Amino acid sequence: MIIFKSQREIEQMHEAGKLLASCHKEIAKIIKPGINTLEIDKFVEEYLAKRHATPEQKGYQGYPYATCASVNDEICHGFPNNKPLKSGDIVTVDLVVNLHGALADSAWTHPVGTISDEANHLIKIAEQSMYKGIEQAQAGNRLGDIGYAIQTFVEAENLSVVRDFTGHGIGRNMHEDPAVLNYGKPGKGLKLKEGMVITIEPMVNVGLYQCKIDKNGWTARTIDGKLSAQYEHTIAITSNGPLILTDQELV
Ligand code: MF3
Ligand code: CO
């Protein structure tokens, strides 16, 4: 069931999104060789607590941390840990902010120190693919238009799109209908309407798109050990087109 949002609810989610966007900008500043992802996780919890917000992921279906921190071949749901990041790594930090009951969800892949040309190409294309999807998030378009735009853009660059994880509706719950696939056919799937709020969050791999899950039951990593990156924004479908609620340019 799709839960449509009023303008006021979208405004409240936008406030959560602005806080999340500013938190991502701070994370970008502290990521350096030597820092570990548990320190980033602690930073996020404190940053949100000071601003009367909470990390919605913590405790969600038993997930133990405020953030997901997925390094190199980890696709998503990486557990923060005390291993120092090193120059050449890439790390995706994913977090969901709850501000007075309104949620916003955004993930960002950061380079650590100096990264390879391969890693640089991957993160640039993954980020651009998200914006290709966002361009299609227009009332009257269909979910397949989003997936098709992402998939064709990524595959033209000889990279692959993960199938096992998707974007989603979001509101007072982190995961609402519909599932927003990062692949698909134009003109197919659910029609987008004003008042829907969804995430667009392609996971892009250098090699094969398949993944395997670690023994912790959460962390997905590439089956071939090659790099993976992810960018995610929360988007409201409005009469003026897609509104990026987690835009870092505005904060
Ligand atoms: N932020 C993630 C998403 O985009 C959710 C991660 S699952 C959690 O859907 F359990 F870690 F919260
Ligand atoms: Co999400």
Side-chain angles (χ1 to χ4, degrees):
M1 184 194 59
I2 310 273
I3 303 170
F4 287 85
K5 278 81 191 179
S6 66
Q7 205 157 336
R8 185 174 153 70
E9 285 169 319
I10 289 173
E11 277 162 23
Q12 288 167 336
M13 293 178 78
H14 204 171
E15 289 309 310
K18 285 179 190 163
L19 179 54
L20 174 41
S22 65
C23 187
H24 267 314
K25 283 173 91 167
E26 294 304 316
I27 294 168
K29 288 186 202 157
I30 64 169
I31 288 189
K32 298 210 165 48
I35 193 171
N36 67 54
T37 48
L38 211 46
E39 289 167 332
I40 299 168
D41 194 77
K42 295 241 161 61
F43 169 83
V44 166
E45 269 209 274
E46 283 170 24
Y47 187 90
L48 297 183
K50 278 184 203 148
R51 291 159 182 84
H52 312 289
T54 54
E56 185 73 5
Q57 291 183 142
K58 196 166 187 172
Y60 179 82
Q61 293 184 0
Y63 186 78
Y65 299 98
T67 62
C68 299
S70 306
V71 180
N72 294 338
D73 66 323
E74 293 172 351
I75 296 170
C76 63
H77 306 164
F79 278 17
N81 61 59
N82 60 14
K83 193 176 155 210
L85 293 170
K86 55 184 194 311
S87 184
D89 287 343
I90 57 173
V91 54
T92 303
V93 181
D94 187 0
L95 72 137
V96 180
V97 167
N98 182 330
L99 183 64
H100 311 307
L103 305 187
D105 186 357
S106 177
W108 217 255
T109 301
H110 299 275
V112 183
T114 310
I115 62 172
S116 66
D117 290 346
E118 182 181 71
N120 201 43
H121 178 243
L122 173 70
I123 67 174
K124 290 285 163 297
I125 298 304
E127 182 181 359
Q128 288 170 22
S129 78
M130 172 186 66
Y131 289 110
K132 294 284 174 192
I134 292 172
E135 267 173 33
Q136 298 300 319
Q138 312 274 353
N141 276 4
R142 290 179 182 272
L143 283 175
D145 297 318
I146 295 176
Y148 180 76
I150 293 169
Q151 183 183 14
T152 51
F153 181 76
V154 167
E155 291 179 352
E157 296 285 337
N158 278 318
L159 302 170
S160 69
V161 160
V162 172
R163 311 290 200 268
D164 289 358
F165 300 92
T166 69
H168 47 89
I170 179 168
R172 301 192 85 78
N173 290 302
M174 190 190 324
H175 290 155
E176 297 180 356
D177 287 339
V180 181
L181 277 59
N182 297 306
Y183 57 95
K185 298 215 160 46
K188 299 283 180 198
L190 182 83
K191 193 181 269 188
L192 297 168
K193 296 202 176 103
E194 205 183 318
M196 288 181 183
V197 180
I198 58 171
T199 71
I200 296 184
E201 49 175 310
M203 280 145 269
V204 178
N205 295 353
V206 163
L208 299 169
Y209 69 75
Q210 285 89 351
C211 62
K212 56 186 180 205
I213 305 291
D214 281 2
K215 286 208 186 74
N216 66 20
W218 280 98
T219 307
R221 62 178 74 236
T222 58
I223 203 160
D224 55 12
K226 295 189 178 172
L227 297 175
S228 184
Q230 181 183 27
Y231 292 81
E232 172 180 25
H233 273 313
T234 298
I235 310 294
I237 313 295
T238 79
S239 54
N240 297 320
L243 175 64
I244 303 177
L245 302 182
T246 44
D247 196 348
Q248 295 175 27
E249 310 289 313
L250 301 175
V251 294

